[in-house]
Amino acid sequence: MKRRDFFKTGLVGFSLPTLTLGKTNVKRNKKTPVIITTHNFPKANAAAVKVLNKYGSSMDAAEAGCNAIEADEKNSNAGIGSLPDERGRVTLDSCVMDSSGNCGSVAFLQNIVHPVSVARKVMEDTKHVMLVGKGAKKFAISKGFKHTNLLTKDARNSWRKWQKNRVEMTPHDTHDTCATLVQDNNGDISGACTT
């Protein structure tokens, strides 16, 4: 659809009601926090709730939720215990966005347990939106994150089993991502994703 045709359809009014229709009657959800987490990650929700119960920000809660997943060695989706890539390396990606639309991310980060926290540091402490690979790791170390071997015995065994069978899928059979969206007591929404 051409740009001029898009504006003729009237969809802009539905997408951007405050710009096209003026002030709306949409009320902001306050004092009723909401947490949405992909898949069944009760530890993520519990960590986010703990932050919200202390009237923490949506960004703090979303980060805490993802941190809980990243620290769980029995979870093979993110952080320590993650399944390695085809070459046997644990490489992690993460991104965050706060309620003002600021964002930060890391990709192909190795040997750092909490990539979501590194992504937040990228958002808050740099002019960049994304750091990748060795640059992301160097930045993480400079911010006090510790070099840690993320390949656990269980993850290594799963990878070796996958290597023998070499099915078309990667070692991550069903999914490999945890995303958390949080609306805090002020009605502010932030999100974090770690994989």
Side-chain angles (χ1 to χ4, degrees), residues 131-147:
L131 296 177
V132 179
K134 290 179 183 177
K137 183 175 180 186
K138 184 177 178 181
F139 173 77
I141 297 294
S142 78
K143 293 297 178 179
F145 293 88
K146 303 293 181 211
H147 176 100

Side-chain angles (χ1 to χ4, degrees), residues 46-84:
V49 165
K50 190 174 181 179
V51 171
L52 294 175
N53 284 341
K54 295 178 182 176
Y55 292 91
S57 73
S58 57
M59 186 72 260
D60 290 343
E63 179 183 11
C66 286
N67 279 166
I69 297 302
E70 293 167 340
D72 183 0
E73 289 188 25
K74 296 297 179 190
N75 185 312
S76 63
N77 301 305
I80 195 162
S82 290
L83 293 174

Side-chain angles (χ1 to χ4, degrees), residues 2 17 21-22 24 35 49 88 93 127 165 169 181 185 191:
K2 293 181 182 176
L21 303 175
T24 66
I35 302 165
V49 165
D93 307 323
K127 62 182 179 179
N165 298 330
M169 289 187 227
L181 296 173
N185 289 288

